[in-house]
Protein backbone atom coordinates (compact mmCIF):
# COMPACT_ATOMS: atom_id res chain seq x y z
CA UNK A 1 0.00 0.00 0.00
CA UNK A 2 1.40 3.40 -1.00
CA UNK A 3 1.86 5.83 1.86
CA UNK A 4 0.96 9.50 1.40
CA UNK A 5 1.13 12.56 3.63
CA UNK A 6 -1.99 14.67 4.12
CA UNK A 7 -2.50 18.07 5.74
CA UNK A 8 -5.15 17.35 8.38
CA UNK A 9 -4.92 20.44 10.61
CA UNK A 10 -4.14 24.13 10.24
CA UNK A 11 -3.93 27.17 12.49
CA UNK A 12 -2.47 30.64 12.83
CA UNK A 13 -1.62 33.14 15.56
CA UNK A 14 -1.23 36.84 14.91
CA UNK A 15 -0.30 39.29 17.65
CA UNK A 16 -2.97 41.98 18.04
CA UNK A 17 -0.79 45.11 17.83
CA UNK A 18 -0.84 46.78 14.41
CA UNK A 19 1.90 48.92 12.85
CA UNK A 20 0.14 50.77 10.01
CA UNK A 21 1.54 52.69 7.06
CA UNK A 22 0.28 55.86 8.78
CA UNK A 23 2.33 54.91 11.87
CA UNK A 24 5.43 54.42 9.69
CA UNK A 25 4.91 57.87 8.17
CA UNK A 26 5.61 59.23 11.67
CA UNK A 27 9.04 57.57 11.97
CA UNK A 28 10.56 57.33 8.45
CA UNK A 29 10.37 59.35 5.20
CA UNK A 30 7.68 57.29 3.52
CA UNK A 31 3.99 57.41 2.77
CA UNK A 32 1.02 55.10 2.48
CA UNK A 33 0.78 55.54 -1.28
CA UNK A 34 4.43 54.54 -1.88
CA UNK A 35 4.23 51.49 0.37
CA UNK A 36 0.88 50.38 -1.07
CA UNK A 37 1.79 50.73 -4.74
CA UNK A 38 5.32 49.28 -4.39
CA UNK A 39 4.51 46.39 -2.05
CA UNK A 40 0.76 46.01 -1.43
CA UNK A 41 1.28 46.28 2.33
CA UNK A 42 -1.02 48.35 4.55
CA UNK A 43 -0.33 46.93 8.01
CA UNK A 44 1.92 44.50 9.83
CA UNK A 45 1.74 43.01 13.34
CA UNK A 46 4.25 43.53 16.15
CA UNK A 47 4.45 40.80 18.78
CA UNK A 48 4.43 41.42 22.53
CA UNK A 49 5.13 37.73 23.23
CA UNK A 50 8.03 35.41 22.36
CA UNK A 51 7.87 33.63 19.01
CA UNK A 52 7.27 30.29 20.76
CA UNK A 53 4.04 31.66 22.28
CA UNK A 54 2.75 32.52 18.80
CA UNK A 55 3.93 29.13 17.56
CA UNK A 56 2.27 27.33 20.46
CA UNK A 57 -1.13 28.89 19.77
CA UNK A 58 -0.95 28.27 16.00
CA UNK A 59 0.09 24.67 16.75
CA UNK A 60 -2.70 24.10 19.30
CA UNK A 61 -5.21 25.32 16.74
CA UNK A 62 -3.73 23.03 14.06
CA UNK A 63 -3.72 20.03 16.40
CA UNK A 64 -7.37 20.72 17.35
CA UNK A 65 -8.33 21.05 13.67
CA UNK A 66 -6.66 17.68 13.00
CA UNK A 67 -8.49 16.11 15.94
CA UNK A 68 -5.30 14.49 17.28
CA UNK A 69 -3.92 14.33 20.81
CA UNK A 70 -0.69 16.21 21.31
CA UNK A 71 0.88 12.90 22.44
CA UNK A 72 0.35 11.58 18.90
CA UNK A 73 2.74 14.15 17.41
CA UNK A 74 6.02 12.35 16.73
CA UNK A 75 7.95 15.22 15.12
CA UNK A 76 7.93 19.02 15.32
CA UNK A 77 9.64 20.94 12.53
CA UNK A 78 9.87 24.65 13.21
CA UNK A 79 10.63 26.77 10.16
CA UNK A 80 12.09 30.06 11.35
CA UNK A 81 14.90 32.53 10.76
CA UNK A 82 14.21 34.43 13.98
CA UNK A 83 14.76 31.73 16.63
CA UNK A 84 14.56 32.70 20.28
CA UNK A 85 17.94 31.07 20.72
CA UNK A 86 20.31 28.88 18.72
CA UNK A 87 20.97 26.54 21.66
CA UNK A 88 18.40 25.26 22.29
CA UNK A 89 16.64 25.39 18.95
CA UNK A 90 13.33 27.21 19.25
CA UNK A 91 11.54 23.94 18.48
CA UNK A 92 12.46 22.81 22.01
CA UNK A 93 10.49 25.68 23.53
CA UNK A 94 7.51 24.84 21.35
CA UNK A 95 7.71 21.15 22.27
CA UNK A 96 7.82 22.04 25.97
CA UNK A 97 4.92 24.51 25.81
CA UNK A 98 2.78 22.00 23.91
CA UNK A 99 3.72 19.08 26.15
CA UNK A 100 4.45 17.06 23.01
CA UNK A 101 6.18 14.36 25.03
CA UNK A 102 6.51 11.85 22.19
CA UNK A 103 7.93 14.23 19.59
CA UNK A 104 11.36 14.94 18.22
CA UNK A 105 11.87 18.60 17.46
CA UNK A 106 14.12 20.67 15.22
CA UNK A 107 14.39 24.12 13.67
CA UNK A 108 14.73 24.47 9.92
CA UNK A 109 16.07 27.72 8.50
CA UNK A 110 15.69 28.45 4.80
CA UNK A 111 14.63 32.05 5.47
CA UNK A 112 11.41 33.03 3.67
CA UNK A 113 11.39 29.69 1.83
CA UNK A 114 11.49 27.84 5.17
CA UNK A 115 7.90 26.67 5.26
CA UNK A 116 8.04 25.19 1.75
CA UNK A 117 11.40 23.53 2.45
CA UNK A 118 9.86 22.23 5.67
CA UNK A 119 6.72 21.01 3.94
CA UNK A 120 8.64 19.02 1.31
CA UNK A 121 10.91 17.57 4.04
CA UNK A 122 8.00 16.57 6.27
CA UNK A 123 6.09 15.02 3.35
CA UNK A 124 9.14 12.82 2.74
CA UNK A 125 9.47 11.89 6.42
CA UNK A 126 5.84 10.80 6.54
CA UNK A 127 5.85 8.96 3.21
CA UNK A 128 9.01 7.07 4.17
CA UNK A 129 7.52 5.94 7.48
CA UNK A 130 10.08 7.85 9.57
CA UNK A 131 7.19 9.83 11.10
CA UNK A 132 3.42 9.49 11.28
CA UNK A 133 2.03 12.73 12.69
CA UNK A 134 4.13 15.84 12.21
CA UNK A 135 3.58 19.39 13.35
CA UNK A 136 5.12 21.84 10.90
CA UNK A 137 5.30 25.40 12.23
CA UNK A 138 6.33 28.61 10.51
CA UNK A 139 6.92 31.41 12.98
CA UNK A 140 8.78 34.71 12.86
CA UNK A 141 9.40 37.66 15.12
CA UNK A 142 11.03 39.80 12.43
CA UNK A 143 10.28 43.05 14.25
CA UNK A 144 13.26 42.16 16.47
CA UNK A 145 15.54 42.42 13.41
CA UNK A 146 14.19 45.74 12.14
CA UNK A 147 16.02 49.03 12.11
CA UNK A 148 13.11 51.48 12.15
CA UNK A 149 15.34 54.21 10.70
CA UNK A 150 15.78 52.16 7.48
CA UNK A 151 12.77 52.81 5.27
CA UNK A 152 13.91 50.25 2.71
CA UNK A 153 13.30 47.34 5.11
CA UNK A 154 11.15 48.42 8.07
CA UNK A 155 8.03 48.89 5.96
CA UNK A 156 8.07 45.28 4.80
CA UNK A 157 8.30 42.84 7.68
CA UNK A 158 6.00 41.72 10.49
CA UNK A 159 5.43 39.01 13.10
CA UNK A 160 3.16 35.96 13.14
CA UNK A 161 2.85 32.19 13.16
CA UNK A 162 1.11 29.45 11.21
CA UNK A 163 1.12 25.69 11.62
CA UNK A 164 -0.10 22.54 9.92
CA UNK A 165 -0.45 18.93 11.02
CA UNK A 166 0.65 16.41 8.40
CA UNK A 167 -0.37 12.76 8.81
CA UNK A 168 0.13 9.52 6.96
CA UNK A 169 -2.72 8.28 4.81
CA UNK A 170 -3.31 5.67 2.11
CA UNK A 171 -5.31 8.11 -0.03
CA UNK A 172 -3.40 10.10 -2.61
CA UNK A 173 -2.38 13.44 -1.09
CA UNK A 174 0.60 15.68 -0.44
CA UNK A 175 3.55 16.74 -2.59
CA UNK A 176 3.04 16.05 -6.32
CA UNK A 177 6.05 18.11 -7.45
CA UNK A 178 8.74 20.11 -5.67
CA UNK A 179 11.64 22.49 -6.25
CA UNK A 180 14.14 23.70 -3.67
CA UNK A 181 16.93 26.00 -4.80
CA UNK A 182 19.53 28.40 -3.46
CA UNK A 183 22.17 30.81 -4.75
CA UNK A 184 24.48 31.27 -1.78
CA UNK A 185 26.84 33.42 -3.85
CA UNK A 186 24.26 36.22 -3.68
CA UNK A 187 23.36 35.76 -0.01
CA UNK A 188 24.65 39.17 1.03
CA UNK A 189 21.92 41.07 -0.84
CA UNK A 190 19.48 40.00 1.89
CA UNK A 191 21.05 39.24 5.25
CA UNK A 192 21.45 40.11 8.92
CA UNK A 193 25.22 40.74 9.20
CA UNK A 194 27.25 39.39 12.15
CA UNK A 195 24.44 37.37 13.66
CA UNK A 196 26.41 34.15 14.06
CA UNK A 197 29.65 32.50 15.09
CA UNK A 198 32.29 33.94 12.78
CA UNK A 199 34.38 34.90 15.84
CA UNK A 200 33.93 33.93 19.51
CA UNK A 201 31.37 36.32 20.93
CA UNK A 202 30.75 37.87 17.53
CA UNK A 203 26.96 37.60 17.51
CA UNK A 204 25.99 41.26 17.31
CA UNK A 205 22.93 42.22 19.37
CA UNK A 206 22.45 45.12 16.96
CA UNK A 207 22.16 42.86 13.96
CA UNK A 208 19.35 43.80 11.61
CA UNK A 209 18.07 42.90 8.19
CA UNK A 210 19.77 44.72 5.33
CA UNK A 211 18.62 44.26 1.76
CA UNK A 212 19.16 45.41 -1.79
CA UNK A 213 15.42 45.41 -2.44
CA UNK A 214 15.36 45.88 -6.19
CA UNK A 215 17.97 43.14 -6.79
CA UNK A 216 16.07 40.72 -4.51
CA UNK A 217 12.85 41.72 -6.27
CA UNK A 218 14.16 40.87 -9.76
CA UNK A 219 15.50 37.49 -8.67
CA UNK A 220 12.31 36.66 -6.74
CA UNK A 221 10.10 37.33 -9.77
CA UNK A 222 12.08 34.90 -11.93
CA UNK A 223 12.70 32.20 -9.32
CA UNK A 224 9.14 32.02 -7.96
CA UNK A 225 7.59 31.92 -11.41
CA UNK A 226 10.10 29.30 -12.72
CA UNK A 227 9.77 27.09 -9.64
CA UNK A 228 5.97 27.28 -9.68
CA UNK A 229 5.80 26.38 -13.36
CA UNK A 230 8.20 23.48 -12.80
CA UNK A 231 6.23 21.88 -9.95
CA UNK A 232 2.97 22.11 -11.88
CA UNK A 233 4.68 20.33 -14.79
CA UNK A 234 6.12 17.67 -12.45
CA UNK A 235 2.63 17.08 -11.05
CA UNK A 236 1.32 16.49 -14.56
CA UNK A 237 -1.25 19.26 -14.09
CA UNK A 238 -2.35 21.73 -16.71
CA UNK A 239 -2.51 25.35 -15.58
CA UNK A 240 -6.31 25.01 -15.47
CA UNK A 241 -5.96 22.28 -12.87
CA UNK A 242 -4.60 24.71 -10.25
CA UNK A 243 -7.26 25.56 -7.67
CA UNK A 244 -5.25 28.07 -5.62
CA UNK A 245 -1.77 29.62 -5.57
CA UNK A 246 -0.56 30.25 -2.01
CA UNK A 247 2.52 32.40 -2.55
CA UNK A 248 4.93 33.75 0.04
CA UNK A 249 3.64 37.24 0.83
CA UNK A 250 6.69 39.45 0.26
CA UNK A 251 5.48 41.86 -2.39
CA UNK A 252 2.21 41.93 -4.31
CA UNK A 253 4.04 42.71 -7.55
CA UNK A 254 6.13 39.52 -7.17
CA UNK A 255 2.93 37.55 -6.54
CA UNK A 256 1.22 39.15 -9.55
CA UNK A 257 4.17 38.17 -11.77
CA UNK A 258 3.99 34.54 -10.58
CA UNK A 259 0.23 34.51 -11.16
CA UNK A 260 0.68 35.93 -14.67
CA UNK A 261 3.20 33.19 -15.55
CA UNK A 262 0.70 30.54 -14.36
CA UNK A 263 -2.12 32.38 -16.21
CA UNK A 264 -4.19 32.46 -13.01
CA UNK A 265 -7.23 34.65 -12.50
CA UNK A 266 -7.11 36.74 -9.29
CA UNK A 267 -9.69 34.41 -7.73
CA UNK A 268 -7.06 31.62 -7.84
CA UNK A 269 -4.40 33.59 -5.97
CA UNK A 270 -4.46 34.04 -2.20
CA UNK A 271 -3.39 37.46 -0.93
CA UNK A 272 -3.22 38.76 2.63
CA UNK A 273 -0.04 40.82 2.33
CA UNK A 274 -2.02 44.02 3.00
CA UNK A 275 -2.75 42.82 6.54
CA UNK A 276 0.52 41.29 7.71
CA UNK A 277 3.38 42.31 5.38
CA UNK A 278 6.19 39.80 5.00
CA UNK A 279 6.19 37.26 7.82
CA UNK A 280 8.84 35.06 6.15
CA UNK A 281 8.38 31.37 7.11
CA UNK A 282 4.99 32.11 8.65
CA UNK A 283 3.37 33.65 5.59
CA UNK A 284 2.27 30.52 3.70
CA UNK A 285 0.79 28.61 6.69
CA UNK A 286 -1.06 31.79 7.74
CA UNK A 287 -2.31 32.19 4.15
CA UNK A 288 -3.32 28.52 3.95
CA UNK A 289 -5.27 28.75 7.21
CA UNK A 290 -7.10 31.89 6.07
CA UNK A 291 -7.79 30.40 2.63
CA UNK A 292 -9.35 27.28 4.19
CA UNK A 293 -11.39 29.39 6.62
CA UNK A 294 -12.61 31.53 3.71
CA UNK A 295 -13.78 28.42 1.83
CA UNK A 296 -11.21 28.90 -0.93
CA UNK A 297 -9.64 25.44 -0.63
CA UNK A 298 -11.98 22.85 -2.14
CA UNK A 299 -11.85 19.25 -1.01
CA UNK A 300 -8.90 17.50 -2.75
CA UNK A 301 -7.70 20.86 -4.09
CA UNK A 302 -4.62 21.27 -6.25
CA UNK A 303 -2.53 23.92 -4.48
CA UNK A 304 0.76 25.58 -5.36
CA UNK A 305 3.05 26.87 -2.60
CA UNK A 306 5.83 29.18 -3.83
CA UNK A 307 8.44 31.21 -1.96
CA UNK A 308 11.67 33.17 -2.25
CA UNK A 309 13.92 34.71 0.36
CA UNK A 310 17.26 35.14 2.10
CA UNK A 311 19.93 32.63 1.28
CA UNK A 312 19.04 33.33 -1.51
CA UNK A 313 16.56 30.46 -1.38
CA UNK A 314 13.50 29.60 -3.38
CA UNK A 315 11.06 26.71 -3.21
CA UNK A 316 7.76 25.59 -4.62
CA UNK A 317 5.47 22.60 -4.16
CA UNK A 318 2.46 21.30 -6.05
CA UNK A 319 0.21 19.99 -3.29
CA UNK A 320 -2.84 17.74 -3.39
CA UNK A 321 -4.96 18.70 -0.39
CA UNK A 322 -6.98 16.12 1.52
CA UNK A 323 -10.70 15.40 1.54
CA UNK A 324 -11.57 17.32 4.69
CA UNK A 325 -11.54 21.13 4.68
CA UNK A 326 -13.50 21.58 7.93
CA UNK A 327 -11.64 21.51 11.25
CA UNK A 328 -12.46 18.57 13.52
CA UNK A 329 -11.99 20.80 16.55
CA UNK A 330 -11.66 24.49 17.40
CA UNK A 331 -10.07 25.98 20.52
CA UNK A 332 -10.98 29.28 22.09
CA UNK A 333 -7.50 30.17 23.42
CA UNK A 334 -6.01 33.54 22.43
CA UNK A 335 -2.65 35.20 22.94
CA UNK A 336 -2.52 37.18 26.18
CA UNK A 337 -3.75 40.76 25.80
CA UNK A 338 -1.07 43.42 25.43
CA UNK A 339 -1.16 46.58 27.54
CA UNK A 340 1.62 48.24 25.52
CA UNK A 341 1.33 50.59 22.54
CA UNK A 342 3.10 49.80 19.29
CA UNK A 343 5.70 52.47 20.16
CA UNK A 344 6.35 50.85 23.53
CA UNK A 345 6.84 47.50 21.81
CA UNK A 346 9.33 49.07 19.38
CA UNK A 347 11.26 50.98 22.06
CA UNK A 348 14.06 48.34 22.24
CA UNK A 349 14.62 48.84 18.48
CA UNK A 350 14.71 52.62 18.92
CA UNK A 351 17.19 52.17 21.79
CA UNK A 352 19.52 50.15 19.54
CA UNK A 353 19.19 51.82 16.17
CA UNK A 354 17.90 55.27 17.04
CA UNK A 355 14.74 56.96 15.90
CA UNK A 356 14.62 59.58 13.17
CA UNK A 357 13.48 63.07 14.09
CA UNK A 358 11.18 63.98 11.21
CA UNK A 359 10.46 67.64 10.64
O1 LIG B 1 10.86 37.65 1.45
C1 LIG B 1 11.65 37.79 0.33
C2 LIG B 1 12.59 38.88 0.49
N1 LIG B 1 12.15 40.18 0.22
C3 LIG B 1 11.57 40.58 -0.91
O2 LIG B 1 11.16 39.82 -1.73
C4 LIG B 1 11.49 42.05 -1.14
C5 LIG B 1 11.87 42.36 -2.56
N2 LIG B 1 11.90 43.76 -2.86
C6 LIG B 1 10.84 44.57 -2.85
O3 LIG B 1 9.77 44.18 -2.41
C7 LIG B 1 10.96 45.95 -3.45
O4 LIG B 1 12.25 46.08 -4.02
C8 LIG B 1 10.77 47.09 -2.42
C9 LIG B 1 9.28 47.20 -2.05
C10 LIG B 1 11.61 46.85 -1.21
C11 LIG B 1 11.16 48.43 -3.06
O5 LIG B 1 10.47 48.64 -4.26
P1 LIG B 1 11.26 49.07 -5.61
O6 LIG B 1 10.24 49.35 -6.62
O7 LIG B 1 12.26 47.98 -5.88
O8 LIG B 1 11.96 50.40 -5.18
P2 LIG B 1 13.51 50.77 -5.16
O9 LIG B 1 14.22 50.03 -4.09
O10 LIG B 1 14.04 50.68 -6.55
O11 LIG B 1 13.43 52.31 -4.74
C12 LIG B 1 12.81 53.29 -5.56
C13 LIG B 1 12.90 54.63 -4.87
C14 LIG B 1 14.31 54.97 -4.39
O12 LIG B 1 14.50 56.37 -4.55
P3 LIG B 1 15.36 56.92 -5.81
O13 LIG B 1 16.72 56.29 -5.64
O14 LIG B 1 14.63 56.43 -7.03
O15 LIG B 1 15.32 58.39 -5.60
C15 LIG B 1 14.26 54.67 -2.91
O16 LIG B 1 15.19 55.43 -2.17
O17 LIG B 1 12.08 54.64 -3.69
C16 LIG B 1 12.85 55.05 -2.56
N3 LIG B 1 12.36 54.36 -1.36
C17 LIG B 1 11.29 54.77 -0.67
N4 LIG B 1 10.46 55.83 -0.80
C18 LIG B 1 9.46 55.96 0.08
C19 LIG B 1 12.82 53.21 -0.82
N5 LIG B 1 12.08 52.87 0.24
C20 LIG B 1 11.12 53.82 0.36
C21 LIG B 1 10.06 54.02 1.26
N6 LIG B 1 9.25 55.08 1.08
N7 LIG B 1 9.80 53.16 2.27
Amino acid sequence: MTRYAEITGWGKALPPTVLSNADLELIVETNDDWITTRSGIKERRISHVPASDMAELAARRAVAAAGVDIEAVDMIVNATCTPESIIPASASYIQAKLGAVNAGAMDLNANCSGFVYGYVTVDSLVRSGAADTVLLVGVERLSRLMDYTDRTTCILFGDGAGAVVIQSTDREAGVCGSEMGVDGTMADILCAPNDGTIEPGSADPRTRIVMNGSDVFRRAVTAMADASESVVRQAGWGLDDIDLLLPHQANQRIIDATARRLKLAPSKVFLNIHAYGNTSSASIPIALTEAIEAGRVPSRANLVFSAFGGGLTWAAAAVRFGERVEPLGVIEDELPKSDRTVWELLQPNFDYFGRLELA
Side-chain angles (χ1 to χ4, degrees), residues 29-30 34 38-39 112 151-152 155-156 190 211 213-214 216-217 248 250-251 253-254 278 308-309:
E29 286 285 1
T30 193
W34 191 96
R38 299 288 176 129
S39 72
C112 296
R151 68 177 182 172
T152 68
I155 58 149
L156 297 172
L190 171 48
M211 179 173 70
S214 51
V216 173
F217 182 94
H248 170 47
N251 185 309
R253 291 182 294 145
I254 299 173
N278 182 344
F308 185 90

Side-chain angles (χ1 to χ4, degrees), residues 19 54 69 75 85 87 182 195 208 265 290 337:
L19 178 66
M54 292 187 277
D69 293 331
M75 177 58 77
S85 60
I87 305 173
V182 65
D195 61 349
R208 63 196 199 282
E290 294 192 345
K337 288 205 170 1

Side-chain angles (χ1 to χ4, degrees), residues 151-199:
R151 68 177 182 172
T152 68
T153 53
C154 75
I155 58 149
L156 297 172
F157 296 96
D159 302 336
V164 291
V165 172
I166 298 168
Q167 293 185 273
S168 58
T169 175
D170 55 8
R171 285 176 311 179
E172 196 194 341
V175 172
C176 304
S178 63
E179 282 281 331
M180 292 182 282
V182 65
D183 181 359
T185 67
M186 296 304 297
D188 61 354
I189 67 171
L190 171 48
C191 62
N194 305 322
D195 61 349
T197 54
I198 287 175
E199 299 288 346

